[in-house]
Every structure is written in C-alpha cells, then in structure tokens.
Amino acid sequence: MAVIRGGYWRSSKANYFPPESIQTRYFTHLFYASVAIDEIDDQTYQIRLSDIDQTWIGRFTQTMFNNNANVKCILSIGEDTEAGRTTLSNMISTPDGRKSFIRDSINKALQYGFHGLDLYWKYPATANEFDMPNLSLLFKEWNDSLKEEHNRTGNPKLSLSTIVYFAPKFFPADDNKAYPFKSIKDNVDFVNLVCYDYSGSQDVEVTAEHALLYDQHDEMSTHYGISSWIDDAGVPEGKLVMGLPLYGRRWELVDRNENGIGARATAVGPMDYSDILQFNGVHQANLHVVNDKTVSTYSYAGQAWIGYDSKFSIKGKVQYAKDHALGGYFFWALGMDKDYELPEQAFDTWN
C-alpha cells in the first residue's frame, strides 16, 4: 500500500476554513470529520446529516476532485461525546443494528462520492462490557459488505479505516478493555492512531508534552503505543498510521524561573499551531527542541508555557514512521496550521 498522508477536515469549522483552503498536494487521504449516527429505533441506525453537513459534504468531495483527482476522500463517522459513544455502543450490540448502519454508511459514501469509510471512536468508554466483541463483529460485517458491493457493481472497493486510541489497551490498565486485534488486522485497511493528548488535563500539575515520541519514565508515548500495536496486538506496521497534532497545549507556570518539562504548572488548554507561532513571535518566547529524549518542542514567555510539535519534531516523528515502515501519518486537524508549515515538512521528510 502506498504511503498515507492524511488530514482530517472539520465541517464544524467550514466557515473559518472551507474545503477550498485545503492544499491537496500535501495529502493522499482527506477525511470529512465527522458525521453522527442516529438511532431511529433499536434496530435501525442511519447516518445523520446535520444542516452543516448538508451544506458542506457534497462541496467537500467535489472540491477535492476538482483540485486533485488523486486524493482519496474518506467519510469519518462518529462523534467524541458521551451521547455519540452510547449510540455507537447501542448500534453495534445487535445484528440488525449493525446491518442497518452498514447499509446506510455505504449508501451515503457512494451518494457523495467518497472513496472510503472511517469509524471515529477514539475512546470507546461505555459501561457495556461487550463493546469490543461487538466492534469485532462490526468490522467483519462491514468489510464483508464492502466486498459484496464491489463484487456486485464492479466499482472500486471502498476502503475501511478507524481512528483509535494510541495503544491497543486502554489506560489506566484494564485487562478487559482492549481493541479486537484480530478483527482489525483482518478487516480494516489502515488504522489511524491518536498519538497525542497524552497530557494536558486539569488534574496534572506539571508541564508535559502531549504528543511526545519517547518517554523514558512513562508508557504514554507514541513509540510505546506503536510498539504495542505491532508486538502485542499483531497488527502489521504497514497498517498503522501515526497521528500528528496541529495544535499544542498551554500551561501556566507556578514559577517562571522553573520552565522545563515537568515544571510546576496548571493546564490551560489547547492552542492552534498558527496561534503558537504568533505567540512566540509577539512575546519573543524562548524555544526549546527536545529531539534526543522526547522528540518534541516547547516554548515559554513569562508564566506561559506551550508544548507542541514544530517543524523539527515533525521531521523526527515522520522519519521514525518511515524508518519503522509504518503506513504513513495523518494530521488533526486541517486549518490549525494556516500556512501548511507542518504538512509541508512531513511531506518533504518522507520524500
């Protein structure tokens, strides 16, 4: 399989960053993120097209086709909310629910000219202990249906992907909570790993990189997650796609003179890459690249501290993905780097 250079485009930000703003030359796969699932009854599940989706979904695929006919457009399905996760859990719990959803997802993809389908369920966190066995069934039945549609019509087979947690088992450790490795290996074309958001919650009281490649003291790192998917889950490296964030996380230092990784601080929240560059310039921030131990970047000015990926750390991560024969990389989310500095760096590094 050719290298995947992916990017998720958020329809919710379309007025700020319309499809026409996407520089398609940097990408092979562009994901429409994302449409939700409606529970009509306990047997019928359909794709929900909101008013925003009805405005933008057709424009998205048409714009991509006009700008770069080689780009694959992927419809990402799911929502990272408690209600969305519950609906997804309900849908996969019955054969009729899965069948209804699969049929409608394929119809919607074909209707709007997508090349593939993507399940957006980054953190399967519901009380249903059968979620993962049911997810295994969904992937198999979905892939079987995609093959049947291809054989019946002769059209190219729609691809099947999923965006998942950075590691095959969830943290904190829970022996009963792990992805269905074999079904993913057998039925999913590629797996987008969320290799970010390792830190930044309000209960953490020291600065930390939220997307570091290595961590000598913790398992919350991209290297650990990818190694686990390969060694423990048995998913081939060529199916694994490394997630790269186009945003960082800002902290408020307790003591401005204590400003390294692990300094006492309070988490503030996410910050787009373009805004980080502006902040660094306006405040003449101190910049530190930590390529030897973490492959990450941070800057600080006064009591503000920001951990993020720069061109330097993106180069190191993409080189890692290439050296380890991964399937490629994807960015979350387009529009956060207005000048495409990081996608351009990733593109050049792999080449």
Side-chain angles (χ1 to χ4, degrees):
M1 184 173 65
V3 58
I4 291 173
R5 312 172 194 268
Y8 280 80
W9 178 82
R10 301 165 295 169
S11 58
S12 61
K13 304 294 183 182
N15 290 328
Y16 158 78
F17 189 79
E20 291 81 3
S21 299
I22 300 174
Q23 298 294 323
T24 58
R25 66 182 179 273
Y26 296 125
F27 304 101
T28 60
H29 292 67
L30 289 166
F31 298 80
Y32 182 99
S34 58
V35 294
I37 303 171
D38 259 345
E39 182 173 358
I40 309 304
D41 53 48
D42 59 0
Q43 295 183 357
T44 307
Y45 292 82
Q46 296 181 348
I47 304 301
R48 180 201 313 157
L49 295 183
S50 66
D51 291 342
I52 292 176
D53 294 321
Q54 292 182 38
T55 299
W56 292 101
I57 191 168
R59 180 170 165 179
F60 172 80
T61 51
Q62 190 59 55
T63 301
M64 298 309 104
F65 299 155
N66 291 341
N67 291 350
N68 186 343
N70 294 320
V71 167
K72 303 299 183 184
C73 293
I74 312 296
L75 179 60
S76 191
I77 305 168
E79 54 183 326
D80 195 22
T81 64
E82 183 175 353
R85 289 189 290 269
T86 299
T87 300
L88 210 161
S89 176
N90 292 340
M91 178 272 289
I92 64 176
S93 67
T94 67
D96 287 340
R98 296 191 298 270
K99 182 177 180 180
S100 172
F101 164 76
I102 289 169
R103 181 174 58 246
D104 193 57
S105 70
I106 295 174
N107 289 340
K108 288 291 196 306
L110 295 174
Q111 178 182 353
Y112 290 100
F114 285 94
H115 300 95
L117 292 157
D118 179 62
L119 185 68
Y120 184 88
W121 199 11
K122 294 191 299 182
Y123 309 112
T126 73
N128 190 339
E129 62 180 307
F130 299 107
D131 275 348
M132 294 302 101
N134 290 334
L135 183 60
S136 176
L137 293 173
L138 174 70
F139 284 138
K140 182 182 187 309
E141 293 165 9
W142 210 350
N143 190 40
D144 287 345
S145 294
L146 292 173
K147 290 178 181 178
E148 290 171 6
E149 191 277 334
H150 161 68
N151 293 331
R152 179 177 58 82
T153 65
N155 294 327
K157 177 182 174 291
L158 296 174
S159 66
L160 180 60
S161 61
T162 182
I163 182 168
V164 299
Y165 196 55
F166 82 104
K169 292 186 177 181
F170 309 128
F171 287 75
D174 182 346
D175 292 338
N176 296 320
K177 209 62 166 167
Y179 283 103
F181 312 145
K182 187 176 187 307
S183 184
I184 288 177
K185 177 182 177 181
D186 293 343
N187 298 295
V188 176
D189 294 299
F190 58 93
V191 186
N192 291 336
L193 306 181
V194 180
C195 298
Y196 43 87
D197 287 346
Y198 302 141
S199 61
S201 63
Q202 296 298 326
D203 58 347
V204 178
E205 298 180 344
V206 295
T207 58
E209 294 285 7
H210 83 110
L212 74 179
L213 179 57
Y214 299 109
D215 192 326
Q216 297 174 325
H217 310 292
D218 197 350
E219 294 178 338
M220 298 289 286
S221 72
T222 296
H223 172 71
Y224 173 83
I226 289 172
S227 298
S228 297
W229 275 103
I230 297 170
D231 298 334
D232 300 336
V235 176
E237 53 267 78
K239 283 194 174 187
L240 301 177
V241 181
M242 178 192 289
L244 303 170
L246 292 176
Y247 65 93
R249 290 195 173 274
R250 179 171 172 171
W251 304 75
E252 191 74 13
L253 295 169
V254 172
D255 180 352
R256 68 177 60 195
N257 296 313
E258 184 185 346
N259 46 46
I261 297 176
R264 293 173 298 154
T266 301
V268 176
M271 194 172 183
D272 288 4
Y273 181 70
S274 294
D275 294 333
I276 294 171
L277 293 184
Q278 183 179 22
F279 174 91
N280 289 346
V282 170
H283 297 277
Q284 297 183 327
N286 294 281
L287 177 67
H288 289 259
V289 179
V290 193
N291 272 335
D292 55 339
K293 295 181 179 179
T294 62
V295 186
S296 62
T297 307
Y298 68 90
S299 62
Y300 60 90
Q303 288 184 279
W305 191 99
I306 309 168
Y308 61 101
D309 272 335
S310 64
K311 290 174 63 177
F312 305 102
S313 52
I314 288 294
K315 181 178 180 179
K317 287 183 177 183
V318 172
Q319 189 62 53
Y320 173 97
K322 185 177 181 180
D323 291 345
H324 288 76
L326 301 188
Y329 58 85
F330 74 89
F331 284 100
W332 182 277
L334 302 184
M336 293 178 168
D337 176 7
K338 298 175 185 176
D339 295 326
Y340 289 88
E341 186 172 287
L342 300 187
E344 182 179 23
Q345 179 65 68
F347 184 90
D348 291 344
T349 300
W350 197 285
N351 283 347

